[in-house]
Amino acid sequence: MSKQPSVVPASGVDQLTSDVLDGLRKSPKELSPVWFYDEYGSDLFDTICELPEYYLTRTELGIMQRHATEMAQLIGPLAALIEFGSGTSLKTRLLLDHLVAPAAYVPVDIAREHLLEAASSLARAYPSLQIVPIRADFTQPFELPPRIATAQRRVIYFPGSTIGNFSRNAARSLLESMRRIIGDDGAVLIGFDMKKDAQILERAYNDSAGVTAEFNLNALRHLNRELGTNFNVNAFEHRALWVEEQSRIEMHLISKRHQVVDIAGTRIPIEKGEHLRTEYCHKYTPDAFASLAAGAHLLATRSWSDPENKFSVQLLEPAKLQ
Ligand code: AVI
C-alpha cells in the first residue's frame, strides 16, 4: 500500500465523528482501522511490509513471482481485471505482465488521490492497457464502467490479506458482492494469511523495531488532528494479541492512565488499563476459508502457497449448483 490521503474528504466530518463516538461507546471500545492511514501511517505501513517479522507481503510476492504465469493462463485472454484497492505494487504488475491482452484494468478505491496516482503510474508502465479507475467504497454497491462489457470475463484481484481485516460477516458479504460482480463466468484472485503458530503471528504484529506500535498509535494522532480530539498518545501502549477462538490477531491500544477524551463536545472517560480495539487480522485454515467462500457460492478451483504454507493465493470461481 502506498500513500493514502486523509480519510476526511471521503465523507463528512460529522459522520466520521459520530462513527468514532459509536465505537468509543462500545465495550470494549473500538476505533476503525481507517485511522491508521494518513500519509505518515501509509509510510509506516510500507515500512511494516519490509520488516523481518512481517512475512505476509514478501511471502505473497514470492507466490506471485513463482505462479503469475499459471494464474494468467487460468484467467485467460481479454479479461477485465478489477482490483479492490488501487494497486501500484509489484504484485499487480506481475499479474498485468502475464495477462494475455487484458481488456481493461479497473482499480476501485475510495481515496481519490491514491487512485489517480496508481492509475497514472500504471498507465506509464502499460501504455496500451485501458485503465478505468473507479472512485468508490468497494464494500458498498458501485457501478462498473460500461466499457468493460466487451471483456471475455471479469476477474477481481484482492491481494494483501485485506480480507482478514473484515469480520467474518463482513468478509462473507464482501465475497457475495464480488460473486455478483463477476457473474457466472468470472473469478476472484484473492490472497489471505494462513493460521499458524501464535508466536509467529504475534511477532509479526509486535515487531522489535516498534514500527507496528507507532502505526497503531498514529491512529490517535490522526484523530486528534482531523477531529480535534485530545487523546494523550503518550499515555497509550500498543499490544497485538492472538485470540484463538476467533482465529485472529487483534490490535489494541491500552491506556496507561485514566484520561478523558473530548470529542465534539462529548467527554469519554478511558480507564487506566482499558483497551481500544483498532483492528482485526483474521487468519484462515484452508477449510475455514473454503467455508467462508462457500457461503458466498464461491469455490477455490486452484490455490497456490509458499513452501512453508504461510500464505495462500486462491482462484475462486462460482460454485456450480448440482
Ligand atoms: C492491511 N492489512 C492486510 C494488514 C494486516 O496484516 O492485517 C494491516 C496491518 N496491521 C498491522 N500490521 C499490518
Side-chain angles (χ1 to χ4, degrees):
M1 192 174 296
S2 58
K3 301 208 176 32
Q4 293 199 358
S6 143
V7 294
V8 169
S11 58
V13 168
D14 289 351
Q15 185 58 49
L16 288 172
T17 303
S18 85
D19 290 350
V20 171
L21 264 175
D22 285 350
L24 293 178
R25 285 181 174 133
K26 286 188 179 155
S27 178
K29 291 183 169 51
E30 282 179 5
L31 279 178
S32 162
V34 297
W35 292 103
F36 293 147
Y37 299 103
D38 59 1
E39 195 166 329
Y40 177 53
S42 299
D43 285 347
L44 288 170
F45 183 68
D46 289 345
T47 308
I48 288 174
C49 292
E50 310 262 300
L51 291 170
E53 297 98 331
Y54 194 79
Y55 57 85
L56 285 79
T57 313
R58 85 180 70 88
T59 308
E60 185 178 26
L61 183 61
I63 296 171
M64 297 303 293
Q65 282 165 332
R66 280 191 301 280
H67 302 291
T69 318
E70 188 193 355
M71 292 173 188
Q73 259 164 18
L74 292 171
I75 288 172
L78 298 168
L81 187 70
I82 304 164
E83 181 160 358
F84 276 26
S86 42
T88 43
S89 74
L90 222 43
K91 287 173 275 182
T92 306
R93 287 167 188 250
L94 273 169
L95 207 52
L96 289 170
D97 284 346
H98 289 89
L99 283 178
V100 177
Y105 170 66
V106 184
V108 184
D109 203 307
I110 186 81
R112 189 169 177 276
E113 289 168 41
H114 191 203
L115 186 65
L116 296 179
E117 201 178 287
S120 63
S121 128
L122 285 176
R124 279 193 298 278
Y126 301 91
S128 60
L129 179 66
Q130 181 171 205
I131 300 178
V132 195
I134 298 188
R135 186 179 175 216
D137 173 356
F138 59 68
T139 64
Q140 304 298 322
F142 63 92
E143 298 254 320
L144 278 170
R147 267 189 281 174
I148 69 162
T150 53
Q152 194 81 22
R153 68 193 306 218
R154 297 169 182 183
V155 177
I156 292 175
Y157 185 41
F158 194 42
S161 198
T162 305
I163 191 76
N165 299 131
F166 289 79
S167 70
R168 298 294 160 107
N169 283 343
R172 204 201 43 244
S173 305
L174 186 59
L175 290 174
E176 278 167 357
S177 78
M178 292 182 181
R179 168 69 187 82
R180 282 192 293 274
I181 291 172
I182 62 172
D184 291 340
D185 310 312
V188 176
L189 185 66
I190 189 165
F192 65 90
D193 196 20
M194 305 254 257
K195 188 173 177 187
K196 57 183 67 63
D197 189 276
Q199 267 190 356
I200 298 175
L201 288 166
E202 288 194 332
R203 268 204 298 269
Y205 293 85
N206 288 295
D207 64 278
S208 52
V211 185
T212 310
E214 178 69 1
F215 175 71
N216 200 6
L217 289 163
N218 184 55
L220 300 178
R221 275 188 218 108
H222 189 189
L223 267 166
N224 284 348
R225 196 180 60 244
E226 298 289 0
L227 297 188
T229 50
N230 57 346
F231 285 97
N232 180 352
V233 181
N234 296 327
F236 281 93
E237 67 187 14
H238 158 80
R239 181 93 45 89
L241 26 112
W242 172 247
V243 181
E244 175 68 32
E245 315 78 72
Q246 306 290 345
S247 196
R248 70 188 179 209
I249 286 282
E250 289 186 4
M251 296 253 289
H252 290 205
L253 290 167
I254 306 171
S255 185
K256 292 193 264 186
R257 62 181 80 118
H258 173 81
Q259 52 182 298
V260 178
V261 175
D262 278 304
I263 168 159
T266 305
R267 290 167 66 76
I268 303 275
I270 303 178
E271 302 308 324
K272 181 177 178 185
E274 193 169 353
H275 289 222
L276 312 190
R277 191 159 56 190
T278 51
E279 189 180 45
Y280 298 142
C281 313
H282 289 89
K283 309 296 168 182
Y284 290 97
T285 61
D287 282 352
F289 196 79
S291 80
L292 177 73
H297 307 286
L298 289 164
L299 179 75
T301 50
R302 181 80 175 92
S303 13
W304 299 269
S305 191
D306 52 291
E308 292 169 83
N309 273 318
K310 289 192 205 147
F311 200 93
S312 181
V313 179
Q314 301 199 343
L315 189 72
L316 308 178
E317 295 185 277
K320 303 278 179 259
L321 295 174
Q322 301 293 338

